Amino acid sequence: MQRQMSEPDNHSPKPKYKWPWFVLAAVLLGMVLAVMWVGAAAKKVEQQRDYNAPLPDTAPAH
C-alpha cells in the first residue's frame, strides 16, 4: 500500500490553544462594560433633563 503525499506521517492530536478563550472573554467583557457605560450615561442625561424640566402647575395662578 502506497501513501499519498498529502497524508501526514503521524496523526498527532491538534493542540488545544487557550488564547482564543482569553480573546473571547475580553471581547464579551468589553461588550458588557460598553452596555453598562451607555446605560449609565443615558440615566445621567435623563436625570439632567428631569432636573431642568419645568414644574407642573398644581395650583391655579392668581
Side-chain angles (χ1 to χ4, degrees):
M1 182 156 107
Q2 184 180 8
R3 288 189 179 190
Q4 295 180 358
M5 292 297 268
S6 63
E7 291 183 15
D9 290 336
N10 57 355
H11 296 287
S12 61
K14 290 185 177 182
K16 296 182 179 179
Y17 296 110
K18 292 184 181 180
W19 66 266
W21 292 106
F22 288 114
V23 172
L24 178 64
V27 168
L28 291 175
L29 180 63
M31 293 173 95
V32 168
L33 289 175
V35 167
M36 290 174 60
W37 182 42
V38 169
K43 186 177 278 190
K44 183 177 179 181
V45 168
E46 184 180 357
Q47 288 175 352
Q48 288 175 349
R49 287 187 180 188
D50 286 344
Y51 179 76
N52 293 331
L55 296 173
D57 290 333
T58 56
H62 287 58

